[in-house]
């Protein structure tokens, strides 16, 4: 990928590329009513979308708003299905190729081959190295207050424009980000929002790694960890980072941001981590137990089959199997058919 993206819009705006975006977008969701309805006339819809984009008549639709309460209450803004196809097309052909190469090796969210499990394992490996090198050391745990809601759209666009110079691509990106609204924040739930949020905080990553020269730094979206030998040094680093996010990105840390002694471990990516153990957090255990109880009730009432319940629990099992949870797995997941 060249340093700047120019004259790429028409190269990737084809019926075939839009159909590819639909096929990728519908994966695992073919039984949803909006996808079923779209597939009844998908060739016509894709051709219509192609013409709308080609003639610059496309307008991003309004979001449907709802709330989820796990792991905490969050506002979700869901786009129309046809807009999600545009998000997929935009992401696959322009955003990821342009911006993923800029991400540091220890940024883990929404990047293929990384993820929360690798993030937690890499933090634990670094903790072992620090224990061996320093004996006692300090941990700075950082968490941004209401991150997605606090992202400044104008700053985000300015970051994107450093790399993307193609006015047609910027036209779509601007529609996706602003969607007729000038307020701060980007919607949780969009594919593009995940990359935009990752890109926004990449400004902090670059500052920490190249300006502050911090060696042990790890980030999963707005949740990040630094390991350092000296307490005064890590305090100074915290002050510098806090100043940077305030002044450059209009962000601030929440009350979870703190400095801990190495023997206290750290909560990161859903795990309680120290040099030798990777444990589930109590809140994670409660969530799994609650969902298992709910699934048992559904099976008992004939609302769900055992096979469907097991398929649903695969996600939970993927989360807990990386931790030291032998007894927990035996108690809640080993079932005699």
């Amino acid at each position: 990928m060249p340093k700047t993206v120019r004259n790429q819009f028409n190269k990737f705006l084809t019926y075939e590329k839009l159909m590819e975006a639909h096929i990728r977008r519908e994966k695992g969701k073919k039984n949803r009513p909006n996808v079923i309805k779209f597939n009844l006339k998908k060739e016509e819809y894709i051709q219509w979308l192609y013409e709308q984009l080609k003639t610059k008549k496309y307008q991003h639709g309004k979001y449907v708003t709802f709330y989820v309460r796990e792991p905490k209450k969050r506002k979700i803004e869901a786009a129309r299905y046809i807009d999600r196809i545009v998000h997929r097309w935009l992401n696959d052909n322009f955003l990821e190729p342009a911006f993923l190469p800029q991400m540091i090796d220890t940024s883990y969210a929404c990047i293929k081959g990384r993820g929360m499990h690798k993030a937690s394992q890499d933090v634990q490996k670094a903790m072992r190295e620090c224990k061996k090198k320093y004996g006692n050391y300090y941990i700075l745990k950082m968490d941004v207050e209401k991150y997605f809601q606090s992202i400044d759209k104008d700053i985000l666009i300015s970051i994107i424009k450093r790399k993307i110079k193609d006015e047609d691509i910027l036209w779509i990106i601007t529609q996706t980000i602003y969607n007729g609204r000038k307020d701060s924040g980007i919607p949780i739930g969009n594919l593009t929002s995940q990359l935009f949020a990752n890109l926004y905080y990449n400004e902090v990553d670059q500052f920490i790694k190249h300006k502050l020269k911090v060696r042990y730094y790890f980030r999963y979206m707005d949740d990040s960890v630094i390991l350092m030998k000296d307490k005064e040094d890590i305090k100074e680093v915290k002050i510098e980072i806090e100043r940077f996010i305030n002044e450059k990105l209009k962000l601030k840390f929440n009350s979870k941001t703190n400095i801990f002694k190495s023997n206290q471990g750290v909560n990161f990516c859903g795990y309680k981590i120290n040099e030798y153990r990777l444990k589930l957090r109590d809140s994670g255990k409660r969530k799994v137990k609650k969902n298992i109880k709910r699934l048992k009730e559904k099976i008992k009432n004939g609302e769900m089959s055992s096979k469907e319940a097991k398929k649903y629990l695969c996600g939970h099992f993927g989360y807990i199997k990386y931790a030291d949870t032998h007894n927990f797995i035996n108690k809640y997941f080993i079932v005699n058919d």
Side-chain angles (χ1 to χ4, degrees):
M1 177 63 65
K3 289 183 178 180
T4 57
V5 178
R6 302 177 189 271
N7 304 318
Q8 295 293 300
F9 181 80
N10 289 320
K11 177 181 178 181
F12 290 96
L13 179 57
T14 65
Y15 175 92
E16 291 76 18
K17 286 291 184 182
L18 291 170
M19 184 61 78
E20 285 176 16
H22 160 60
I23 291 168
R24 291 200 66 191
R25 191 64 191 82
E26 71 169 353
K27 189 175 180 180
K29 303 175 180 68
K30 290 184 178 181
N31 293 327
R32 294 186 179 182
N34 59 342
V35 180
I36 292 171
K37 183 178 179 181
F38 186 91
N39 277 328
L40 292 174
K41 295 183 177 181
K42 63 182 180 182
E43 290 85 3
E44 294 176 37
Y45 286 135
I46 293 295
Q47 184 61 39
W48 176 85
L49 180 58
Y50 168 78
E51 294 294 339
Q52 291 290 300
L53 291 169
K54 188 74 175 177
T55 59
K56 304 294 186 298
K57 293 179 181 178
Y58 168 78
Q59 289 190 335
H60 197 289
K62 293 182 178 180
Y63 294 107
V64 175
T65 301
F66 60 95
Y67 291 86
V68 297
R69 300 185 182 277
E70 292 289 348
K72 60 183 178 182
K73 185 178 179 181
R74 292 186 299 169
K75 180 182 177 182
I76 305 296
E77 294 180 282
R80 300 176 304 174
Y81 183 72
I82 202 156
D83 293 323
R84 296 183 198 181
I85 293 173
V86 174
H87 297 167
R88 181 89 256 178
W89 172 76
L90 188 63
N91 188 76
D92 292 355
N93 295 291
F94 307 116
L95 297 177
E96 284 197 354
F99 295 115
L100 285 191
Q102 297 181 9
M103 302 293 175
I104 63 172
D105 292 341
T106 54
S107 174
Y108 298 88
C110 313
I111 298 177
K112 188 175 180 180
R114 301 187 196 178
M116 63 190 303
H117 301 132
K118 179 169 173 52
S120 56
Q121 290 170 334
D122 285 356
V123 166
Q124 186 178 53
K125 181 181 178 183
M127 292 172 79
R128 288 173 181 163
E129 287 182 15
C130 288
K131 184 69 175 178
K132 187 176 180 180
K133 287 169 63 176
Y134 310 134
N136 296 324
Y137 57 94
Y138 291 88
I139 304 166
L140 171 58
K141 174 66 165 56
M142 297 171 286
D143 201 346
V144 176
E145 183 173 302
K146 297 180 180 179
Y147 179 54
F148 276 76
Q149 300 97 308
S150 301
I151 290 173
D152 185 284
K153 294 173 181 176
D154 292 339
I155 295 174
L156 175 60
I157 287 289
S158 70
I159 293 169
I160 291 168
K161 283 183 175 180
R162 291 182 210 151
K163 182 73 175 179
I164 295 182
K165 306 296 184 181
D166 188 312
E167 291 299 326
D168 293 326
I169 301 172
L170 288 171
W171 165 67
I172 296 287
I173 291 173
T174 301
Q175 279 215 43
T176 304
I177 291 174
Y178 287 103
N179 198 20
R181 292 159 49 178
K182 290 289 186 178
D183 56 327
S184 294
I186 58 177
I188 298 173
N190 284 352
L191 175 66
T192 48
S193 293
Q194 296 172 2
L195 189 138
F196 290 147
N198 222 1
L199 177 63
Y200 198 75
Y201 213 82
N202 180 59
E203 299 292 294
V204 188
D205 296 344
Q206 301 301 326
F207 175 72
I208 291 173
K209 295 299 290 185
H210 302 299
K211 181 71 174 179
L212 301 182
K213 306 290 185 182
V214 173
R215 179 173 182 181
Y216 296 110
Y217 167 67
F218 308 86
R219 177 174 71 86
Y220 190 92
M221 200 54 74
D222 62 309
D223 194 7
S224 55
V225 170
I226 284 175
L227 311 176
M228 294 184 74
K229 178 183 178 181
D230 186 80
K231 187 174 183 180
E232 293 306 313
D233 287 346
I234 208 167
K235 281 182 178 180
E236 184 59 34
V237 162
K238 179 178 179 292
I239 291 169
E240 291 290 331
I241 297 170
E242 199 154 17
R243 183 184 296 122
F244 182 87
I245 69 168
N246 291 164
E247 295 177 357
K248 301 296 185 181
L249 300 176
K250 298 183 181 179
L251 301 173
K252 61 180 180 178
F253 290 137
N254 63 23
S255 59
K256 297 177 185 177
T257 298
N258 215 332
I259 295 170
F260 302 93
K261 293 179 180 179
S262 57
N263 60 11
Q264 293 177 274
V266 64
N267 289 326
F268 186 60
C269 289
Y271 300 101
K272 178 72 173 180
I273 308 171
N274 64 29
E275 294 94 356
Y276 308 107
R277 288 182 67 87
L278 196 68
K279 298 170 66 176
L280 292 184
R281 296 175 63 185
D282 290 340
S283 59
K285 288 183 181 180
R286 286 195 297 270
K287 180 183 175 182
V288 173
K289 291 176 183 178
K290 181 180 177 181
N291 282 333
I292 290 174
K293 183 179 179 180
R294 180 173 58 83
L295 291 174
K296 284 182 177 179
E297 286 295 321
K298 285 195 170 188
I299 293 170
K300 184 179 179 180
N301 296 333
E303 300 173 29
M304 180 180 281
S305 68
S306 297
K307 185 176 180 180
E308 289 172 328
K310 288 179 180 179
K311 185 177 179 181
Y312 177 86
L313 286 172
C314 282
H316 286 304
F317 187 72
Y319 159 59
I320 69 172
K321 71 178 182 179
Y322 288 90
D324 301 310
T325 52
H326 178 74
N327 292 335
F328 187 82
I329 290 174
N330 282 341
K331 183 175 182 179
Y332 291 100
F333 286 83
I334 306 301
V335 180
N336 294 321
D337 294 325

